[in-house]
Amino acid sequence: MQIQVLPLPEEKMKAKFSDESQLGFGKLFTDRMFIAEWKAGQGWVDARIQPYAPFSLDPACLVLHYAQEIFEGLKAYKWQDGSIALFRPEMNARRFNHSADRMCMPEVPEELFLDGIRELVRLERDWIPSSPGTSLYIRPTMIAVEPILGVKPSDHYYFYVILSPVGAYYASGFNPVKIMVEDKYVRAVKGGTGEAKTGGNYASSLKAGLDAKKKGFDQVLWLDGLERRYIEEVGAMNMFFAYGNKVVTAPLDGTILNGITRNTVISIAEKLGFTVEERKISIDTIMADIKSGKISEAFGSGTAAVITPVGALCYKDETAGIGDRGVGTLTQKLYDTITGIQTGQIPDSFGWVNKL
Ligand code: PLP
Ligand code: COI
């Protein structure tokens, strides 16, 4: 589909950041956005890149009442030679359509998803920061905009992409976080929407997150919704536990997000000679293995979170420090390898890098 590029008037251009170390996560947005509309009977129409601007939405539209919404997260990196790379964007396109199917939304053709992002990033290339740990975060989103109060799939959608220059997701940067294991609230159950990247999953996690913050923790680790026994994932990342040369993570059984960084970690860990086990593991076993020292490291993986070391877990008011509460050797190696491939400092033997 042809993407129309609308002019960007000078008065719509924003001041760029002056200090990349102060970027934080998702606070600043670039000058332009991509948008396409889907209308029943017509399909995808009117793909365009236009100045970044608020939407005018009917107060009755479906996304505002019944949360018919999905999103994605990926990043663009500026290499030392000035070229630009995306990381595994076709995986985001596929997962977006998996989420769309679960939420009864139209599929976005992979070509439209990728071309829209690539063209937008190309136009906004001056917004990509380049210091270590920074990137341009890309947020593809689809919302239901039909104004009607009946509970039904919309007949009109916006698919749009916005861009945000970012630094580290956690204010602490690449430093160990403290995580509280959530045993009161649940995030997902089998048959629910846990595997979809849909806003409601995040809205329903806010209460647990706030409670954890009040107690001094950065995030919660969710347990399975049925028995509250098996570990699932953290608010914005998948979880890994290292036992010497073995790494364990929760299986993809429909309740957790099929993380792209999770998949990346598994491939790199296997290449490094680690055995990776995707299996159910109980929180009692995890706590016992942390205390006995069998678990040597723990970390989370995510696009925003990259690789985040986990220094301590708290379950039922008991806190266990992991390893020496610092950054483990494997955690550091994975962080360095992934960011090295993304920024062109390490050759990409996996075919993950997508240059613009
Ligand atoms: N789990 C949840 C709930 C997330 O929001 C994210 C972030 O996207 C992840 C895991 C990690 O997924 P990915 O590595 O694809 O970013
Ligand atoms: C991402 O890592 O891209 C995410 O979507 C996490 C987000 C909830 C900040």
Side-chain angles (χ1 to χ4, degrees):
M1 187 191 296
Q2 189 72 23
I3 299 173
Q4 201 192 350
V5 179
L6 303 179
L8 175 68
E10 204 149 324
E11 68 273 13
K12 290 257 160 92
M13 288 175 78
K14 302 171 193 162
K16 296 214 172 49
F17 45 85
S18 51
D19 181 357
E20 293 190 0
S21 70
Q22 298 301 311
L23 282 173
F25 185 82
K27 298 186 288 192
L28 178 68
F29 299 93
T30 72
D31 292 325
R32 299 174 174 91
M33 63 195 285
F34 170 86
I35 180 164
E37 296 185 44
W38 186 92
K39 293 178 181 163
Q42 292 181 49
W44 289 104
V45 293
D46 203 10
R48 60 197 189 268
I49 291 174
Q50 62 174 52
Y52 186 102
F55 292 128
S56 169
L57 288 178
D58 192 299
C61 77
L62 282 163
V63 64
L64 299 178
H65 298 268
Y66 310 127
Q68 202 190 5
E69 186 266 3
I70 58 171
F71 70 98
E72 266 304 322
L74 66 159
K75 284 173 170 172
Y77 307 85
K78 189 169 274 173
W79 288 14
Q80 255 162 20
D81 63 4
S83 63
I84 295 162
L86 304 177
F87 188 69
R88 312 187 76 183
E90 65 293 336
M91 300 279 280
N92 296 92
R94 272 174 231 151
R95 190 172 62 187
F96 194 70
N97 283 330
H98 188 70
S99 301
D101 179 60
R102 180 65 182 83
M103 301 306 288
C104 300
M105 300 171 96
E107 187 169 295
V108 176
E110 214 167 295
E111 205 187 338
L112 178 65
F113 185 97
L114 297 174
D115 287 353
I117 289 173
R118 286 171 64 88
E119 188 57 30
L120 179 65
V121 172
R122 207 173 280 125
L123 285 166
E124 298 290 71
R125 57 189 302 139
D126 290 347
W127 282 92
I128 311 177
S130 57
S131 47
T134 66
S135 56
L136 186 70
Y137 185 77
I138 305 167
R139 175 52 66 86
T141 308
M142 183 165 24
I143 58 173
V145 296
E146 183 188 357
I148 186 166
L149 294 183
V151 180
K152 65 162 205 83
S154 182
D155 68 6
H156 187 187
Y157 296 90
Y158 291 168
F159 164 56
Y160 64 94
V161 182
I162 53 175
L163 307 175
S164 175
V166 299
Y169 182 62
Y170 293 105
S172 53
F174 184 65
N175 281 305
V177 293
K178 278 168 62 186
I179 287 186
M180 196 184 92
V181 180
E182 179 55 58
D183 60 357
K184 183 172 168 195
Y185 303 108
V186 298
R187 176 185 177 274
V189 287
K190 277 207 172 102
T193 58
E195 196 183 51
K197 209 160 165 55
T198 183
N201 290 340
Y202 299 80
S204 65
S205 75
L206 294 174
K207 187 133 182 97
L210 272 188
D211 287 358
K213 279 237 160 66
K214 275 187 211 147
K215 293 183 182 159
F217 295 91
D218 300 288
Q219 280 275 342
V220 302
L221 170 60
W222 298 102
L223 298 177
D224 76 278
L226 206 59
E227 296 182 63
R228 298 190 199 186
R229 185 164 166 221
Y230 298 102
I231 56 136
E232 298 229 308
E233 65 180 332
V234 175
M237 53 191 197
N238 296 108
M239 268 306 293
F240 288 84
F241 295 91
Y243 289 76
N245 66 351
K246 188 175 79 182
V247 184
V248 182
T249 192
L252 299 177
D253 62 1
T255 54
I256 66 169
L257 197 74
N258 182 354
I260 295 162
T261 322
R262 175 186 181 279
N263 178 278
T264 300
V265 165
I266 293 173
S267 300
I268 296 175
E270 283 174 346
K271 199 169 176 206
L272 291 170
F274 286 78
T275 305
V276 181
E277 294 178 357
E278 297 174 62
R279 63 173 165 87
K280 284 167 82 163
I281 181 161
S282 76
I283 185 61
D284 294 322
T285 304
I286 292 282
M287 291 304 281
D289 292 349
I290 291 174
K291 283 186 266 174
S292 72
K294 276 196 207 163
I295 289 180
S296 43
E297 303 178 31
F299 59 87
S301 68
T303 299
V306 196
I307 296 291
T308 295
V310 177
L313 270 196
C314 174
Y315 179 54
K316 293 195 187 294
D317 291 327
E318 185 189 8
T319 299
I322 302 169
D324 62 2
R325 291 183 184 242
V327 180
T329 324
L330 173 63
T331 307
Q332 184 73 55
K333 177 85 186 160
L334 287 166
Y335 179 86
D336 292 343
T337 308
I338 294 173
T339 55
I341 293 173
Q342 289 167 337
T343 57
Q345 269 136 22
I346 294 179
D348 170 25
S349 59
F350 298 93
W352 289 333
V353 164
N354 182 294
K355 295 298 285 286
L356 285 197

